[in-house]
Protein backbone atom coordinates (compact mmCIF):
# COMPACT_ATOMS: atom_id res chain seq x y z
CA UNK A 1 0.00 0.00 0.00
CA UNK A 2 2.77 2.43 0.96
CA UNK A 3 4.63 1.57 -2.22
CA UNK A 4 1.67 2.29 -4.51
CA UNK A 5 0.85 5.54 -2.76
CA UNK A 6 4.47 6.71 -2.91
CA UNK A 7 4.85 5.60 -6.53
CA UNK A 8 1.73 7.47 -7.60
CA UNK A 9 3.01 10.55 -5.75
CA UNK A 10 6.26 10.35 -7.72
CA UNK A 11 4.42 10.00 -11.01
CA UNK A 12 2.43 13.15 -10.17
CA UNK A 13 5.67 14.99 -9.36
CA UNK A 14 7.25 13.87 -12.62
CA UNK A 15 4.17 14.87 -14.61
CA UNK A 16 4.67 18.42 -13.37
CA UNK A 17 8.33 18.50 -14.39
CA UNK A 18 11.58 16.58 -14.61
CA UNK A 19 13.31 15.75 -11.37
CA UNK A 20 16.64 14.23 -10.42
CA UNK A 21 16.72 11.01 -8.43
CA UNK A 22 18.02 13.04 -5.48
CA UNK A 23 15.03 15.38 -5.65
CA UNK A 24 12.61 12.43 -5.71
CA UNK A 25 14.35 10.85 -2.72
CA UNK A 26 14.11 14.13 -0.80
CA UNK A 27 10.39 14.47 -1.56
CA UNK A 28 9.74 10.90 -0.42
CA UNK A 29 11.73 11.44 2.78
CA UNK A 30 9.64 14.53 3.51
CA UNK A 31 6.59 12.26 3.33
CA UNK A 32 8.30 9.87 5.80
CA UNK A 33 8.50 6.85 3.51
CA UNK A 34 10.91 4.11 4.54
CA UNK A 35 14.30 3.72 2.87
CA UNK A 36 13.22 0.35 1.46
CA UNK A 37 10.18 1.88 -0.25
CA UNK A 38 12.26 4.83 -1.52
CA UNK A 39 14.96 2.56 -2.96
CA UNK A 40 12.40 0.33 -4.64
CA UNK A 41 10.60 3.32 -6.18
CA UNK A 42 13.81 4.94 -7.42
CA UNK A 43 14.84 1.63 -8.99
CA UNK A 44 11.46 1.24 -10.70
CA UNK A 45 11.43 4.84 -11.95
CA UNK A 46 14.93 4.40 -13.39
CA UNK A 47 14.00 1.08 -15.02
CA UNK A 48 11.04 2.71 -16.75
CA UNK A 49 13.16 5.68 -17.79
CA UNK A 50 11.06 8.15 -15.82
CA UNK A 51 14.17 9.51 -14.11
CA UNK A 52 17.57 9.68 -15.71
CA UNK A 53 20.08 12.05 -14.13
CA UNK A 54 22.32 12.18 -17.21
CA UNK A 55 19.50 13.15 -19.56
CA UNK A 56 18.14 15.58 -16.97
CA UNK A 57 21.50 17.35 -16.71
CA UNK A 58 22.01 17.44 -20.49
CA UNK A 59 18.52 18.91 -21.10
CA UNK A 60 18.88 21.40 -18.27
CA UNK A 61 22.29 22.58 -19.51
CA UNK A 62 21.06 22.87 -23.09
CA UNK A 63 18.08 24.91 -21.94
CA UNK A 64 20.05 27.24 -19.66
CA UNK A 65 22.99 27.73 -22.02
CA UNK A 66 20.66 29.19 -24.64
CA UNK A 67 19.61 31.90 -22.20
CA UNK A 68 21.88 34.84 -21.49
CA UNK A 69 23.22 35.33 -18.01
CA UNK A 70 24.15 31.89 -16.77
CA UNK A 71 27.81 30.94 -16.76
CA UNK A 72 29.11 27.40 -17.03
CA UNK A 73 30.29 27.63 -13.41
CA UNK A 74 26.88 28.81 -12.26
CA UNK A 75 25.15 25.94 -14.10
CA UNK A 76 27.55 23.44 -12.55
CA UNK A 77 26.77 24.57 -9.00
CA UNK A 78 23.03 24.76 -9.57
CA UNK A 79 23.07 21.14 -10.76
CA UNK A 80 25.08 20.12 -7.70
CA UNK A 81 22.36 21.74 -5.58
CA UNK A 82 19.85 19.53 -7.39
CA UNK A 83 21.77 16.52 -6.09
CA UNK A 84 23.69 15.49 -9.19
CA UNK A 85 27.03 13.77 -8.78
CA UNK A 86 30.18 15.86 -9.36
CA UNK A 87 31.83 13.14 -11.44
CA UNK A 88 28.78 12.95 -13.69
CA UNK A 89 28.76 16.73 -14.10
CA UNK A 90 32.50 16.86 -14.79
CA UNK A 91 31.98 14.31 -17.55
CA UNK A 92 29.00 16.15 -19.08
CA UNK A 93 30.63 19.58 -18.91
CA UNK A 94 33.79 18.09 -20.41
CA UNK A 95 31.85 16.99 -23.48
CA UNK A 96 29.84 20.13 -24.17
CA UNK A 97 31.03 23.53 -25.22
CA UNK A 98 29.44 26.56 -23.70
CA UNK A 99 30.73 29.95 -24.73
CA UNK A 100 30.70 31.95 -21.50
CA UNK A 101 31.80 35.05 -23.40
CA UNK A 102 28.69 35.08 -25.61
CA UNK A 103 26.24 34.55 -22.74
CA UNK A 104 28.07 37.15 -20.62
CA UNK A 105 27.98 39.66 -23.48
CA UNK A 106 24.24 39.16 -24.05
CA UNK A 107 23.55 39.47 -20.33
CA UNK A 108 25.72 42.57 -19.95
CA UNK A 109 24.10 44.26 -22.96
CA UNK A 110 20.72 43.80 -21.33
CA UNK A 111 21.98 45.05 -17.96
CA UNK A 112 23.73 48.08 -19.49
CA UNK A 113 20.38 49.41 -20.77
CA UNK A 114 19.16 49.75 -17.19
CA UNK A 115 22.32 51.40 -15.84
CA UNK A 116 22.54 55.13 -15.33
CA UNK A 117 25.61 57.08 -14.47
CA UNK A 118 29.09 57.61 -15.80
CA UNK A 119 31.24 55.06 -17.60
CA UNK A 120 33.41 54.28 -14.57
CA UNK A 121 30.42 53.57 -12.32
CA UNK A 122 28.81 51.43 -15.03
CA UNK A 123 32.03 49.48 -15.42
CA UNK A 124 32.03 48.62 -11.71
CA UNK A 125 28.35 47.73 -11.72
CA UNK A 126 28.70 45.53 -14.81
CA UNK A 127 31.72 43.76 -13.37
CA UNK A 128 29.88 43.04 -10.10
CA UNK A 129 26.82 41.88 -11.99
CA UNK A 130 28.74 39.48 -14.24
CA UNK A 131 30.96 38.19 -11.44
CA UNK A 132 27.82 37.51 -9.41
CA UNK A 133 26.55 35.39 -12.28
CA UNK A 134 29.69 33.24 -12.05
CA UNK A 135 31.74 34.59 -14.93
CA UNK A 136 35.53 34.73 -14.58
CA UNK A 137 37.25 38.08 -14.07
CA UNK A 138 38.87 37.71 -17.48
CA UNK A 139 35.51 37.20 -19.20
CA UNK A 140 34.00 40.12 -17.28
CA UNK A 141 36.82 42.45 -18.32
CA UNK A 142 36.64 41.42 -21.99
CA UNK A 143 32.87 41.92 -22.13
CA UNK A 144 33.05 45.30 -20.40
CA UNK A 145 35.86 46.45 -22.69
CA UNK A 146 33.80 45.54 -25.74
CA UNK A 147 30.59 47.11 -24.50
CA UNK A 148 32.18 50.32 -23.32
CA UNK A 149 34.46 50.44 -26.38
CA UNK A 150 37.75 50.35 -24.54
CA UNK A 151 41.03 48.69 -25.43
Amino acid sequence: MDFNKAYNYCIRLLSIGDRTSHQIVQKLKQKNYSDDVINEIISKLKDYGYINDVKYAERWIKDKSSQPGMSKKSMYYKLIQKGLDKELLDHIFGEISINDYDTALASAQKKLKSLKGDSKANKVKLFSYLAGKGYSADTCNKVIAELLHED
Side-chain angles (χ1 to χ4, degrees), residues 3 13 21-23 27 29-30 32-33 43 45 55 60 73 89-90 97 109 117 120-122 135 140 147:
F3 176 84
L13 284 175
S21 53
H22 176 77
Q23 290 172 316
K27 290 285 191 181
K29 284 184 178 182
Q30 287 174 358
N32 295 320
Y33 287 106
S43 176
L45 291 172
K55 286 183 180 175
W60 194 90
K73 180 180 172 184
L89 293 177
D90 289 339
S97 75
Q109 285 170 330
K120 189 170 186 161
N122 286 347
Y135 294 104
C140 295
L147 282 179

Side-chain angles (χ1 to χ4, degrees), residues 63-147:
D63 180 49
K64 297 301 179 190
S65 65
S66 66
Q67 301 169 1
M70 190 168 280
S71 68
K72 194 172 182 177
K73 180 180 172 184
S74 176
M75 284 186 240
Y76 183 87
Y77 287 108
K78 286 199 184 294
L79 287 170
I80 285 179
Q81 288 174 343
K82 292 177 179 288
L84 294 173
D85 183 53
K86 286 183 180 187
E87 287 178 22
L88 169 71
L89 293 177
D90 289 339
H91 175 73
I92 292 171
F93 277 100
E95 290 184 352
I96 61 165
S97 75
I98 297 172
N99 190 335
D100 268 356
Y101 179 79
D102 289 343
T103 59
L105 182 62
S107 184
Q109 285 170 330
K110 189 175 178 182
K111 180 68 174 173
L112 189 59
K113 291 176 186 174
S114 69
L115 294 178
K116 295 169 178 57
D118 66 351
S119 179
K120 189 170 186 161
N122 286 347
K123 190 187 287 189
V124 171
K125 288 176 185 174
L126 276 176
F127 188 90
S128 296
Y129 173 75
L130 292 172
K133 295 257 182 207
Y135 294 104
S136 69
D138 187 44
T139 301
C140 295
N141 287 326
K142 285 179 184 174
V143 165
I144 292 167
E146 181 174 331
L147 282 179

Side-chain angles (χ1 to χ4, degrees), residues 7 15 46 61 105 110 138 145:
Y7 182 77
S15 70
K46 284 182 178 180
I61 292 166
L105 182 62
K110 189 175 178 182
D138 187 44

